[in-house]
Short mmCIF file of all heavy atoms in Angstrom, two decimals:
data_model
loop_
_atom_site.label_atom_id
_atom_site.label_comp_id
_atom_site.label_asym_id
_atom_site.label_seq_id
_atom_site.Cartn_x
_atom_site.Cartn_y
_atom_site.Cartn_z
N ARG B 279 33.16 -5.11 30.75
CA ARG B 279 33.60 -5.70 32.02
C ARG B 279 33.74 -7.22 31.90
O ARG B 279 34.69 -7.82 32.40
CB ARG B 279 32.59 -5.33 33.13
CG ARG B 279 33.09 -5.54 34.53
CD ARG B 279 32.05 -5.06 35.56
NE ARG B 279 31.66 -3.70 35.33
CZ ARG B 279 30.40 -3.25 35.21
NH1 ARG B 279 29.38 -4.09 35.33
NH2 ARG B 279 30.16 -1.99 34.97
N ALA B 280 32.81 -7.84 31.20
CA ALA B 280 32.87 -9.30 31.00
C ALA B 280 34.11 -9.69 30.20
O ALA B 280 34.77 -10.69 30.49
CB ALA B 280 31.60 -9.78 30.30
N LEU B 281 34.44 -8.90 29.18
CA LEU B 281 35.63 -9.20 28.37
C LEU B 281 36.90 -9.07 29.21
O LEU B 281 37.80 -9.91 29.15
CB LEU B 281 35.72 -8.24 27.18
CG LEU B 281 34.56 -8.28 26.18
CD1 LEU B 281 34.77 -7.22 25.10
CD2 LEU B 281 34.41 -9.66 25.56
N LEU B 282 36.96 -8.01 29.99
CA LEU B 282 38.14 -7.79 30.83
C LEU B 282 38.31 -8.92 31.84
O LEU B 282 39.43 -9.42 32.06
CB LEU B 282 38.01 -6.44 31.54
CG LEU B 282 38.19 -5.22 30.62
CD1 LEU B 282 37.52 -3.98 31.21
CD2 LEU B 282 39.68 -4.95 30.37
N ASN B 283 37.20 -9.35 32.40
CA ASN B 283 37.28 -10.46 33.35
C ASN B 283 37.61 -11.78 32.65
O ASN B 283 38.27 -12.65 33.23
CB ASN B 283 36.00 -10.55 34.17
CG ASN B 283 36.00 -9.53 35.31
OD1 ASN B 283 36.65 -9.75 36.33
ND2 ASN B 283 35.34 -8.41 35.11
N ALA B 284 37.18 -11.91 31.39
CA ALA B 284 37.55 -13.11 30.64
C ALA B 284 39.06 -13.16 30.42
O ALA B 284 39.67 -14.23 30.46
CB ALA B 284 36.82 -13.12 29.29
N VAL B 285 39.67 -12.01 30.21
CA VAL B 285 41.12 -11.97 30.03
C VAL B 285 41.83 -12.42 31.30
O VAL B 285 42.74 -13.27 31.26
CB VAL B 285 41.59 -10.55 29.64
CG1 VAL B 285 43.12 -10.44 29.68
CG2 VAL B 285 41.06 -10.17 28.26
N VAL B 286 41.42 -11.89 32.44
CA VAL B 286 42.18 -12.17 33.67
C VAL B 286 41.81 -13.51 34.31
O VAL B 286 42.49 -13.96 35.23
CB VAL B 286 42.06 -11.02 34.70
CG1 VAL B 286 42.65 -9.74 34.11
CG2 VAL B 286 40.63 -10.79 35.15
N THR B 287 40.75 -14.15 33.81
CA THR B 287 40.40 -15.48 34.32
C THR B 287 40.36 -16.50 33.18
O THR B 287 39.65 -17.49 33.26
CB THR B 287 39.01 -15.46 35.01
OG1 THR B 287 38.02 -15.15 34.02
CG2 THR B 287 38.95 -14.47 36.14
N SER B 288 41.13 -16.25 32.14
CA SER B 288 41.00 -17.03 30.90
C SER B 288 41.23 -18.53 31.10
O SER B 288 40.43 -19.35 30.64
CB SER B 288 41.99 -16.50 29.86
OG SER B 288 42.13 -17.43 28.81
N ASN B 289 42.34 -18.86 31.73
CA ASN B 289 42.71 -20.29 31.84
C ASN B 289 42.68 -20.99 30.49
O ASN B 289 42.31 -22.15 30.39
CB ASN B 289 41.77 -21.02 32.81
CG ASN B 289 42.16 -20.77 34.25
OD1 ASN B 289 43.35 -20.66 34.56
ND2 ASN B 289 41.17 -20.65 35.12
N GLY B 290 43.02 -20.26 29.45
CA GLY B 290 43.11 -20.88 28.13
C GLY B 290 41.86 -20.74 27.29
O GLY B 290 41.88 -21.04 26.10
N LYS B 291 40.76 -20.31 27.89
CA LYS B 291 39.51 -20.19 27.12
C LYS B 291 39.50 -18.96 26.22
O LYS B 291 38.76 -18.90 25.24
CB LYS B 291 38.31 -20.12 28.08
CG LYS B 291 37.92 -21.45 28.68
CD LYS B 291 37.47 -22.44 27.60
CE LYS B 291 35.98 -22.55 27.47
NZ LYS B 291 35.61 -23.61 26.47
N PHE B 292 40.29 -17.97 26.55
CA PHE B 292 40.31 -16.72 25.77
C PHE B 292 41.76 -16.30 25.54
O PHE B 292 42.58 -16.40 26.44
CB PHE B 292 39.56 -15.60 26.50
CG PHE B 292 38.12 -15.94 26.75
CD1 PHE B 292 37.73 -16.52 27.97
CD2 PHE B 292 37.15 -15.71 25.79
CE1 PHE B 292 36.41 -16.86 28.20
CE2 PHE B 292 35.81 -16.05 26.02
CZ PHE B 292 35.44 -16.64 27.23
N PHE B 293 42.03 -15.87 24.32
CA PHE B 293 43.37 -15.35 24.04
C PHE B 293 43.29 -14.22 23.02
O PHE B 293 42.23 -13.97 22.43
CB PHE B 293 44.33 -16.46 23.61
CG PHE B 293 43.82 -17.37 22.52
CD1 PHE B 293 43.88 -17.00 21.18
CD2 PHE B 293 43.28 -18.63 22.84
CE1 PHE B 293 43.42 -17.84 20.18
CE2 PHE B 293 42.81 -19.49 21.83
CZ PHE B 293 42.89 -19.09 20.50
N LEU B 294 44.43 -13.57 22.82
CA LEU B 294 44.46 -12.38 21.98
C LEU B 294 44.26 -12.69 20.50
O LEU B 294 44.94 -13.54 19.93
CB LEU B 294 45.82 -11.66 22.16
CG LEU B 294 46.00 -10.38 21.33
CD1 LEU B 294 45.07 -9.27 21.83
CD2 LEU B 294 47.46 -9.91 21.39
N GLY B 295 43.34 -11.97 19.91
CA GLY B 295 43.17 -11.93 18.45
C GLY B 295 42.72 -10.52 18.16
O GLY B 295 41.57 -10.17 18.41
N THR B 296 43.64 -9.68 17.70
CA THR B 296 43.36 -8.23 17.71
C THR B 296 42.29 -7.81 16.72
O THR B 296 41.68 -6.76 16.88
CB THR B 296 44.61 -7.41 17.37
OG1 THR B 296 45.04 -7.75 16.05
CG2 THR B 296 45.71 -7.64 18.38
N ASP B 297 42.08 -8.62 15.65
CA ASP B 297 41.21 -8.14 14.57
C ASP B 297 41.70 -6.79 14.06
O ASP B 297 40.91 -5.97 13.58
CB ASP B 297 39.74 -8.06 15.03
CG ASP B 297 38.77 -7.90 13.86
OD1 ASP B 297 39.17 -8.11 12.70
OD2 ASP B 297 37.61 -7.53 14.12
N SER B 298 43.00 -6.57 14.16
CA SER B 298 43.56 -5.32 13.63
C SER B 298 43.17 -5.21 12.16
O SER B 298 43.44 -6.11 11.37
CB SER B 298 45.08 -5.35 13.77
OG SER B 298 45.64 -4.23 13.11
N ALA B 299 42.51 -4.13 11.81
CA ALA B 299 41.89 -4.02 10.49
C ALA B 299 42.24 -2.69 9.85
O ALA B 299 41.52 -1.71 10.03
CB ALA B 299 40.37 -4.18 10.63
N PRO B 300 43.35 -2.66 9.13
CA PRO B 300 43.76 -1.39 8.53
C PRO B 300 42.87 -0.99 7.36
O PRO B 300 42.57 -1.81 6.49
CB PRO B 300 45.19 -1.70 8.04
CG PRO B 300 45.22 -3.18 7.85
CD PRO B 300 44.29 -3.76 8.86
N HIS B 301 42.44 0.24 7.37
CA HIS B 301 41.71 0.83 6.24
C HIS B 301 42.39 2.14 5.88
O HIS B 301 42.77 2.91 6.78
CB HIS B 301 40.25 1.12 6.61
CG HIS B 301 39.39 -0.08 6.74
ND1 HIS B 301 38.98 -0.81 5.64
CD2 HIS B 301 38.86 -0.68 7.82
CE1 HIS B 301 38.23 -1.82 6.06
NE2 HIS B 301 38.14 -1.78 7.37
N ASP B 302 42.47 2.42 4.61
CA ASP B 302 42.97 3.72 4.20
C ASP B 302 42.05 4.80 4.76
O ASP B 302 40.83 4.60 4.88
CB ASP B 302 43.05 3.81 2.68
CG ASP B 302 43.68 5.13 2.24
OD1 ASP B 302 44.87 5.32 2.52
OD2 ASP B 302 42.96 5.97 1.66
N ILE B 303 42.63 5.94 5.07
CA ILE B 303 41.88 7.06 5.65
C ILE B 303 40.65 7.43 4.81
O ILE B 303 39.62 7.83 5.35
CB ILE B 303 42.83 8.28 5.85
CG1 ILE B 303 42.13 9.44 6.54
CG2 ILE B 303 43.43 8.76 4.54
CD1 ILE B 303 42.06 9.33 8.01
N THR B 304 40.74 7.24 3.51
CA THR B 304 39.59 7.59 2.66
C THR B 304 38.41 6.66 2.90
O THR B 304 37.26 7.03 2.65
CB THR B 304 39.95 7.54 1.17
OG1 THR B 304 40.45 6.22 0.87
CG2 THR B 304 40.99 8.57 0.81
N ALA B 305 38.67 5.45 3.39
CA ALA B 305 37.57 4.54 3.71
C ALA B 305 36.94 4.88 5.06
O ALA B 305 35.86 4.40 5.39
CB ALA B 305 38.07 3.09 3.73
N LYS B 306 37.62 5.72 5.83
CA LYS B 306 37.10 6.14 7.13
C LYS B 306 36.52 7.55 7.07
O LYS B 306 35.49 7.83 7.68
CB LYS B 306 38.24 6.12 8.17
CG LYS B 306 38.63 4.72 8.65
CD LYS B 306 37.54 4.11 9.52
CE LYS B 306 38.02 2.91 10.31
NZ LYS B 306 36.90 2.31 11.09
N LYS B 307 37.18 8.43 6.35
CA LYS B 307 36.79 9.84 6.37
C LYS B 307 36.39 10.34 4.98
O LYS B 307 36.19 11.54 4.79
CB LYS B 307 37.95 10.69 6.90
CG LYS B 307 38.17 10.58 8.40
CD LYS B 307 37.17 11.45 9.16
CE LYS B 307 37.50 11.53 10.64
NZ LYS B 307 36.55 12.41 11.36
N GLY B 308 36.33 9.46 4.00
CA GLY B 308 36.01 9.88 2.64
C GLY B 308 34.52 10.05 2.44
O GLY B 308 33.74 10.07 3.39
N LYS B 309 34.14 10.17 1.18
CA LYS B 309 32.75 10.53 0.85
C LYS B 309 31.74 9.48 1.27
O LYS B 309 30.64 9.80 1.68
CB LYS B 309 32.64 10.74 -0.67
CG LYS B 309 32.98 12.15 -1.09
CD LYS B 309 31.98 12.69 -2.12
CE LYS B 309 31.93 14.21 -2.09
NZ LYS B 309 30.63 14.78 -1.85
N GLY B 310 32.11 8.23 1.16
CA GLY B 310 31.12 7.16 1.33
C GLY B 310 30.90 6.75 2.78
O GLY B 310 31.22 7.49 3.72
N ASN B 311 30.33 5.55 2.94
CA ASN B 311 30.10 5.00 4.27
C ASN B 311 31.43 4.68 4.96
O ASN B 311 32.46 4.56 4.31
CB ASN B 311 29.23 3.75 4.17
CG ASN B 311 27.76 4.12 4.09
OD1 ASN B 311 27.40 5.29 3.96
ND2 ASN B 311 26.90 3.13 4.16
N THR B 312 31.35 4.51 6.26
CA THR B 312 32.54 4.26 7.06
C THR B 312 32.89 2.79 7.06
O THR B 312 32.07 1.95 7.44
CB THR B 312 32.29 4.71 8.51
OG1 THR B 312 31.77 6.04 8.50
CG2 THR B 312 33.56 4.65 9.32
N ALA B 313 34.12 2.45 6.67
CA ALA B 313 34.57 1.06 6.73
C ALA B 313 34.72 0.64 8.19
O ALA B 313 35.14 1.43 9.04
CB ALA B 313 35.90 0.91 6.00
N ALA B 314 34.37 -0.61 8.47
CA ALA B 314 34.45 -1.14 9.83
C ALA B 314 35.84 -1.69 10.10
O ALA B 314 36.35 -2.49 9.32
CB ALA B 314 33.39 -2.23 10.02
N GLY B 315 36.44 -1.29 11.20
CA GLY B 315 37.73 -1.84 11.56
C GLY B 315 38.55 -0.86 12.37
O GLY B 315 38.55 0.33 12.11
N VAL B 316 39.25 -1.40 13.37
CA VAL B 316 40.17 -0.60 14.19
C VAL B 316 41.57 -1.14 13.96
O VAL B 316 41.79 -2.36 14.03
CB VAL B 316 39.78 -0.69 15.69
CG1 VAL B 316 40.76 0.11 16.54
CG2 VAL B 316 38.35 -0.20 15.91
N PHE B 317 42.49 -0.26 13.69
CA PHE B 317 43.87 -0.68 13.38
C PHE B 317 44.72 -0.63 14.64
O PHE B 317 44.98 0.43 15.19
CB PHE B 317 44.45 0.23 12.30
CG PHE B 317 45.88 -0.08 11.98
CD1 PHE B 317 46.28 -1.35 11.58
CD2 PHE B 317 46.86 0.91 12.09
CE1 PHE B 317 47.60 -1.64 11.28
CE2 PHE B 317 48.19 0.64 11.79
CZ PHE B 317 48.56 -0.64 11.39
N THR B 318 45.14 -1.80 15.10
CA THR B 318 45.84 -1.89 16.38
C THR B 318 47.20 -2.59 16.28
O THR B 318 47.93 -2.66 17.28
CB THR B 318 44.99 -2.67 17.40
OG1 THR B 318 44.59 -3.91 16.81
CG2 THR B 318 43.76 -1.88 17.82
N GLN B 319 47.54 -3.10 15.09
CA GLN B 319 48.70 -3.98 14.96
C GLN B 319 49.99 -3.48 15.63
O GLN B 319 50.59 -4.22 16.42
CB GLN B 319 48.97 -4.24 13.47
CG GLN B 319 49.79 -5.49 13.20
CD GLN B 319 48.98 -6.73 13.48
OE1 GLN B 319 48.05 -7.06 12.78
NE2 GLN B 319 49.34 -7.42 14.55
N PRO B 320 50.41 -2.24 15.37
CA PRO B 320 51.76 -1.87 15.84
C PRO B 320 51.90 -1.73 17.35
O PRO B 320 53.02 -1.71 17.86
CB PRO B 320 52.00 -0.51 15.17
CG PRO B 320 50.93 -0.34 14.15
CD PRO B 320 49.78 -1.18 14.60
N TYR B 321 50.78 -1.56 18.04
CA TYR B 321 50.83 -1.25 19.47
C TYR B 321 49.91 -2.17 20.27
O TYR B 321 49.46 -1.82 21.36
CB TYR B 321 50.41 0.21 19.71
CG TYR B 321 51.08 1.20 18.79
CD1 TYR B 321 50.44 1.64 17.63
CD2 TYR B 321 52.36 1.68 19.06
CE1 TYR B 321 51.05 2.56 16.78
CE2 TYR B 321 52.98 2.59 18.21
CZ TYR B 321 52.32 3.02 17.07
OH TYR B 321 52.93 3.92 16.23
N ALA B 322 49.63 -3.35 19.70
CA ALA B 322 48.58 -4.19 20.25
C ALA B 322 48.77 -4.51 21.73
O ALA B 322 47.82 -4.45 22.52
CB ALA B 322 48.50 -5.50 19.44
N LEU B 323 49.98 -4.85 22.12
CA LEU B 323 50.18 -5.28 23.51
C LEU B 323 50.03 -4.10 24.46
O LEU B 323 49.45 -4.23 25.55
CB LEU B 323 51.55 -5.93 23.68
CG LEU B 323 51.90 -7.05 22.69
CD1 LEU B 323 53.18 -7.76 23.13
CD2 LEU B 323 50.76 -8.05 22.54
N GLY B 324 50.51 -2.95 24.05
CA GLY B 324 50.36 -1.76 24.88
C GLY B 324 48.90 -1.42 25.13
O GLY B 324 48.51 -1.08 26.25
N TYR B 325 48.10 -1.56 24.07
CA TYR B 325 46.66 -1.29 24.24
C TYR B 325 46.04 -2.21 25.28
O TYR B 325 45.19 -1.81 26.07
CB TYR B 325 45.92 -1.48 22.93
CG TYR B 325 46.32 -0.57 21.78
CD1 TYR B 325 46.37 -1.06 20.48
CD2 TYR B 325 46.62 0.77 21.99
CE1 TYR B 325 46.69 -0.25 19.42
CE2 TYR B 325 46.97 1.60 20.92
CZ TYR B 325 47.01 1.08 19.64
OH TYR B 325 47.33 1.88 18.58
N VAL B 326 46.45 -3.48 25.27
CA VAL B 326 45.89 -4.44 26.23
C VAL B 326 46.28 -4.03 27.65
O VAL B 326 45.44 -3.98 28.55
CB VAL B 326 46.38 -5.88 25.93
CG1 VAL B 326 45.95 -6.84 27.05
CG2 VAL B 326 45.84 -6.35 24.57
N LEU B 327 47.56 -3.71 27.83
CA LEU B 327 48.01 -3.35 29.18
C LEU B 327 47.32 -2.07 29.67
O LEU B 327 46.91 -1.97 30.84
CB LEU B 327 49.54 -3.20 29.22
CG LEU B 327 50.29 -4.50 29.56
CD1 LEU B 327 50.05 -5.58 28.52
CD2 LEU B 327 51.78 -4.25 29.74
N THR B 328 47.20 -1.11 28.78
CA THR B 328 46.51 0.14 29.16
C THR B 328 45.06 -0.14 29.53
O THR B 328 44.54 0.39 30.53
CB THR B 328 46.57 1.15 27.99
OG1 THR B 328 47.93 1.47 27.75
CG2 THR B 328 45.81 2.42 28.32
N ALA B 329 44.40 -0.97 28.73
CA ALA B 329 42.99 -1.29 29.02
C ALA B 329 42.86 -2.00 30.36
O ALA B 329 41.92 -1.73 31.12
CB ALA B 329 42.42 -2.16 27.90
N LEU B 330 43.80 -2.89 30.67
CA LEU B 330 43.73 -3.60 31.96
C LEU B 330 43.95 -2.62 33.11
O LEU B 330 43.27 -2.69 34.15
CB LEU B 330 44.77 -4.73 32.00
CG LEU B 330 44.47 -5.92 31.09
CD1 LEU B 330 45.66 -6.90 31.08
CD2 LEU B 330 43.18 -6.65 31.51
N GLU B 331 44.88 -1.69 32.94
CA GLU B 331 45.09 -0.69 34.00
C GLU B 331 43.88 0.20 34.19
O GLU B 331 43.50 0.53 35.31
CB GLU B 331 46.31 0.17 33.67
CG GLU B 331 47.60 -0.50 34.04
CD GLU B 331 48.75 0.49 34.14
OE1 GLU B 331 48.85 1.37 33.27
OE2 GLU B 331 49.53 0.39 35.10
N GLU B 332 43.28 0.60 33.08
CA GLU B 332 42.07 1.44 33.19
C GLU B 332 40.95 0.66 33.87
O GLU B 332 40.15 1.21 34.62
CB GLU B 332 41.66 1.94 31.81
CG GLU B 332 42.64 2.96 31.24
CD GLU B 332 42.37 3.35 29.79
OE1 GLU B 332 41.54 2.66 29.12
OE2 GLU B 332 42.98 4.31 29.32
N ALA B 333 40.89 -0.65 33.60
CA ALA B 333 39.87 -1.49 34.23
C ALA B 333 40.10 -1.61 35.73
O ALA B 333 39.15 -1.62 36.53
CB ALA B 333 39.86 -2.87 33.58
#
Side-chain angles (χ1 to χ4, degrees):
Chain B
R279 196 176 305 128
L281 299 177
L282 288 157
N283 280 282
V285 170
V286 298
T287 64
S288 165
N289 280 324
K291 283 297 261 184
F292 300 94
F293 49 81
L294 180 68
T296 62
D297 194 14
S298 173
H301 287 288
D302 184 66
I303 184 82
T304 56
K306 284 290 195 183
K307 286 281 189 178
K309 273 224 155 236
N311 277 8
T312 309
V316 179
F317 177 56
T318 51
Q319 201 71 70
Y321 313 96
L323 309 190
Y325 298 142
V326 172
L327 270 62
T328 298
L330 290 173
E331 278 199 317
E332 291 172 348

